[in-house]
Amino acid sequence: MRTTLKATAAAALLGYASAQLQTGIYTKYPDCVNGPALLTSNLVCNPDASPHDRAVAIINAMTITEKLENLLDVANGSARLGLPPYEFWSEALHGVAGSPGANFNRNGTFSYATSFPMPITFSAAFDDDLVEEIATVISTEARAYSNAGRFGLNAFTPNINPYRDPRWGRGSETPGEDPLRTSGYVKRLLIGLEGTDAGLFNTSHSGYKKMIATCKHFSGYDLETQPVRYGYDAKITSQDLAEYYMPPFEMCARQNVGSFMCSYNAVNGVPSCANAYFMKTILREHWGWTTDNNFVTSDCNAVGQMVGNHNYTTTTAAAEGISLTAGMDSACIVANTGAGNIVDTLGAYYDGYATEEVITTALVRQYEALIIAGYFDSAASQPYRSIGWSAVDTPSSQQLAKTAATAGMTLLKNDGTLPIALSGKKVALIGMWANGTTNLQGGYSGPAPYIHNAVYAAKALGLRYTYANGPTNQSVLSSNHSSAALAAASSADVILYFGGIDWSVEAEAMDRYQISWPQAQLDLLTQLSSLGKPVIVAQLGTMLDATPLLNNKAINGLVWAGYPGQDGGVAAFEILTGAVAPAGRLPVTMYPADYVNQVPMANMSLRSGPGNPGRTYKWYDGGVLPYAYGLHYTSFQSSFAVSAPAPWNYGHHGWKKNYHGPTTCKQHGSYNIQDLLSGCDEAHPDLCPFPSAAISVRNTGRKVTSDYSAVLFARTSNAGPAPYPLKELVSYTRFAAIAPGRVASANLNITLGALARRDEQGNSILYPGKYEFLLNVPTQATLSFTLTGKQVVLDLWPQPPANQTYEAAINCPDYGNCPQLGQPVA
């Protein structure tokens, strides 16, 4: 009987999948008014019932065959119950993007959406207000597409894996290398995407989430090809997990994000999508990610990779069943990518790897998320359903996209030539992105309404210019590129070179093996700089070792632009000409080119040791330019203020619990740890406030009004056990438009968790001892203080099972067959 049922169900499911792959699935809302009686009479159509009870009711109405047809991103729904098919896989990293759940027209309405800069660029502004504004526009435009049946209610974004290694091909998708900065970024991003503050379901717009965001990739994922991600087993200590790889995901859980994505890689022998320690122990139990019974999706084909790459199971049925039982709820698949990738959901149940109870729980979680996004409720009952095409690519969205690009662009070198007046001059526009198109957008992009490159900007300004293309990643400069560039430059007054790297060099499934400037570009720049004319370089892509450009006195200026989006060329000209003053800061360390020879990508350790000089600014001090470095067109002097302008911010985006201790940190002050904690009633002790750092920033220049991003670090050399990090980011803010001679003041809010350290077991401990705050890069002011009293554990990190420890993993080179890690499952 079981075999017959399985065969019948398989035929139905395979037929459905084949049809879906040919035609695609787009959002169609269930009809709780005119749909079949089995739907309209079900509790799921009662908006007054709880989301959980509504989800339970509709899932309990499904047969086991129908349940099995809804375990993939290509969910079949149920025609019998009036549930349309639904595609969970949509993308919206920096705008509504191409994906299986997206449907763009060729032209006219719904043929494009605002294309913002990549996260690595706009995060360099160190401006969380900007992050939320961008996310709000993205979710609004995604809703417009959803309401037209062209996009899902959820999106596989954001990517918040810390950018640990400069070779990583997907680093541009992230906000950078620091976990505290990433946590601040993702908190405000989720508010904008999901339309709720503090992750509370019922805080805005009649209780509906605007969309369902997905924090990815959980966890320890940050390489593509060195080795190949699909079978990589990351060896990570509990200390590094808790201190570096996990904090951004903890913020997602505290914000009650709608979804998590488990990643391709294994950690200490267990593939992430089969890792109950990650998905149950840490995510749901320790972090309490259970407010709305949210769901975990796999990365696409991650479950299938457990067979052929991880050798963790011998069948995809076992892989799917084990993953469901471990806490994953939906498997994403990519069609036609070879044997072993298509997940056997039928076998997961009929072969006994997952019970119907486990399957039901997984589906309840998914449908509860859809209910919270208003999937079953009428357009009249929720404001988000009224968003239409007129909300896409509005003038304010266009301006925000340009502002995001200029805000993140970072000035790395300037001998006084910048800003440069170009009116009346003949300008040579040279390089691979001077007349670029989609390379300005970067990855995970959708069709933009326009792409304004440097050539467009020069035309718009009425400049006299010549243009020549340039090499991208070539090692040898061709005579074609050289002669064209020299011809363009020969009659010019100013040479603007637009180079670097792009998505053809670094991308998903494409790590870099070199982090130096491409040799062909360096050779061309050497030729151009020998002409005796001003040469300004604007760099596309993520970080390259700019030592040759920094040392070449004939290169007058260098601006890092990242991936600046639809108005990237216009934004670059606004920075170069001084229409906008630069105030970005590097979101990653600029490593020397030889760094790639000093440590393999697969070494996941942060601290220095044999074969590892250390990673990120916290443990590595050999950077060409440091994390958070950035120059200005004016001069600033920042200092710790004598008195604070205001106490802690308890408003819309601040910490909301009461704090009864001192409000500002004083030079050489002493603070008792127990007193700090006794004055706080936060649910999480690490969120209890430390007295804020009052700072003032003076624009000491005479001509230029400019934004200024202030960054605050802490360090200690005696609080807790060695080794001590060089410094750690504890707070940041961005000041807007400080006029010459004017002073701006602010309080930099600091939590006890930012001052705490993680021990070898991953526990967060606040130690007594001497500390020092360091303001800005390079450091402009310091403030010393002392913590007294007894050390306190702020977060007791749950320990992994004995066979999932770092110690077990490093003794098992072939982890899939190591006895201490468990034999492969049949």
Side-chain angles (χ1 to χ4, degrees), residues 386-409:
S386 64
I387 298 173
W389 173 247
S390 62
V392 177
D393 190 46
T394 64
S396 62
S397 299
Q398 294 175 5
Q399 179 60 47
L400 183 62
K402 185 172 65 173
T403 296
T406 56
M409 288 185 182

Side-chain angles (χ1 to χ4, degrees), residues 694-771:
I695 67 168
S696 62
V697 177
R698 179 185 296 275
N699 184 341
T700 57
R702 296 182 178 181
K703 297 180 180 180
V704 178
T705 296
S706 175
D707 285 8
Y708 185 83
S709 295
V711 287
L712 183 69
F713 299 88
R715 70 181 175 192
T716 181
S717 60
N718 73 344
Y724 303 100
L726 300 170
K727 61 180 181 179
E728 296 186 271
L729 184 70
V730 295
S731 193
Y732 57 88
T733 193
R734 184 164 174 123
F735 295 92
I738 306 177
R742 301 301 297 271
V743 177
S745 300
N747 269 4
L748 295 182
N749 296 338
I750 305 149
T751 64
L752 296 186
L755 298 176
R757 301 177 59 208
R758 295 278 180 174
D759 67 10
E760 291 185 353
Q761 287 72 46
N763 303 312
S764 176
I765 301 175
L766 187 60
Y767 293 102
K770 295 181 179 179
Y771 294 78

Side-chain angles (χ1 to χ4, degrees), residues 173-196:
E173 299 177 27
T174 78
E177 71 182 42
D178 183 79
L180 184 135
R181 169 73 188 109
T182 302
S183 296
Y185 163 97
V186 76
K187 176 180 180 178
R188 297 291 292 278
L189 189 88
L190 292 180
I191 293 172
L193 290 178
E194 297 198 329
T196 56

Side-chain angles (χ1 to χ4, degrees), residues 15-151:
Y16 161 71
S18 175
Q20 190 277 328
L21 294 175
Q22 293 175 20
T23 62
I25 288 177
Y26 305 109
T27 305
K28 182 179 179 181
Y29 292 88
D31 189 347
C32 277
V33 177
N34 301 308
L38 288 176
L39 176 66
T40 58
S41 63
N42 191 283
L43 187 66
V44 75
C45 286
N46 181 356
D48 294 326
S50 73
H52 179 69
D53 289 346
R54 295 172 71 183
V56 168
I58 193 62
I59 300 306
N60 282 344
M62 290 183 179
T63 65
I64 185 59
T65 299
E66 289 169 331
K67 290 179 181 179
L68 294 172
E69 292 176 352
N70 284 275
L71 289 174
L72 304 178
D73 66 290
V74 285
N76 192 21
S78 168
R80 180 181 66 89
L81 296 175
L83 296 180
Y86 182 81
E87 172 60 81
F88 279 88
W89 182 0
S90 296
E91 299 284 357
L93 177 68
H94 55 119
V96 177
S99 48
N103 180 12
F104 295 94
N105 281 330
R106 290 186 180 275
N107 50 61
T109 60
F110 296 104
S111 63
Y112 54 84
T114 307
S115 187
F116 290 97
M118 288 284 279
I120 197 67
T121 299
F122 69 78
S123 73
F126 283 80
D127 184 350
D128 287 344
D129 289 339
L130 177 67
V131 171
E132 185 177 334
E133 288 181 56
I134 292 169
T136 299
V137 171
I138 292 171
S139 60
T140 295
E141 298 192 356
R143 266 292 185 162
Y145 271 79
S146 297
N147 294 336
R150 297 177 174 274
F151 200 77

Side-chain angles (χ1 to χ4, degrees), residues 491-676:
S491 61
D493 302 309
V494 176
I495 300 169
L496 302 183
Y497 183 85
F498 297 86
I501 55 176
D502 62 18
W503 208 243
S504 67
V505 173
E506 54 176 355
E508 183 169 359
M510 189 192 302
D511 287 329
R512 288 189 285 149
Y513 290 82
Q514 303 295 330
I515 58 173
S516 56
W517 268 77
Q519 189 59 48
Q521 294 195 43
L522 290 178
D523 291 344
L524 180 56
L525 280 166
T526 297
Q527 294 182 7
L528 295 172
S529 63
S530 68
L531 298 177
K533 302 177 180 183
V535 179
I536 310 298
V537 178
Q539 184 213 322
L540 194 73
T542 59
M543 210 47 54
L544 301 169
D545 178 1
T547 298
L549 306 184
L550 298 173
N551 291 343
N552 184 345
K553 293 183 179 180
I555 301 290
N556 304 96
L558 173 62
V559 175
W560 175 73
Y563 291 94
Q566 67 185 37
D567 238 342
V570 174
F573 264 82
E574 288 191 350
I575 291 291
L576 298 178
T577 61
V580 176
R585 291 184 177 271
L586 288 182
V588 292
T589 299
M590 181 186 287
Y591 292 87
D594 190 55
Y595 187 81
V596 300
N597 301 316
Q598 299 175 29
V599 57
M601 278 195 76
N603 186 327
M604 304 295 286
S605 296
L606 276 297
R607 290 158 178 78
S608 59
N612 184 352
R615 293 189 177 277
T616 80
Y617 74 93
K618 294 185 180 186
W619 301 101
Y620 176 74
D621 62 358
V624 175
L625 291 176
Y627 175 81
Y629 179 86
L631 301 174
H632 303 86
Y633 288 160
T634 185
S635 55
F636 287 100
Q637 181 60 50
S638 58
S639 61
F640 291 100
V642 175
S643 60
W648 261 66
N649 173 21
Y650 299 111
H652 182 61
H653 300 305
W655 285 261
K656 295 180 173 60
K657 300 295 182 179
N658 294 322
Y659 173 67
H660 307 293
T663 58
T664 56
C665 185
K666 302 297 182 182
Q667 184 73 260
H668 307 301
S670 180
Y671 307 92
N672 181 271
I673 292 173
Q674 281 66 45
D675 289 345
L676 291 170

Side-chain angles (χ1 to χ4, degrees), residues 339-405:
N341 286 332
I342 303 302
V343 174
D344 185 358
T345 57
L346 301 176
Y349 170 70
Y350 287 109
D351 293 344
Y353 293 107
T355 65
E356 184 170 5
E357 180 182 7
V358 166
I359 291 166
T360 297
T361 296
L363 292 171
V364 167
R365 288 170 176 162
Q366 295 176 63
Y367 272 82
E368 185 170 340
L370 290 175
I371 288 165
I372 291 171
Y375 185 56
F376 287 90
D377 297 344
S378 67
S381 66
Q382 49 177 307
Y384 298 134
R385 285 285 292 275
S386 64
I387 298 173
W389 173 247
S390 62
V392 177
D393 190 46
T394 64
S396 62
S397 299
Q398 294 175 5
Q399 179 60 47
L400 183 62
K402 185 172 65 173
T403 296

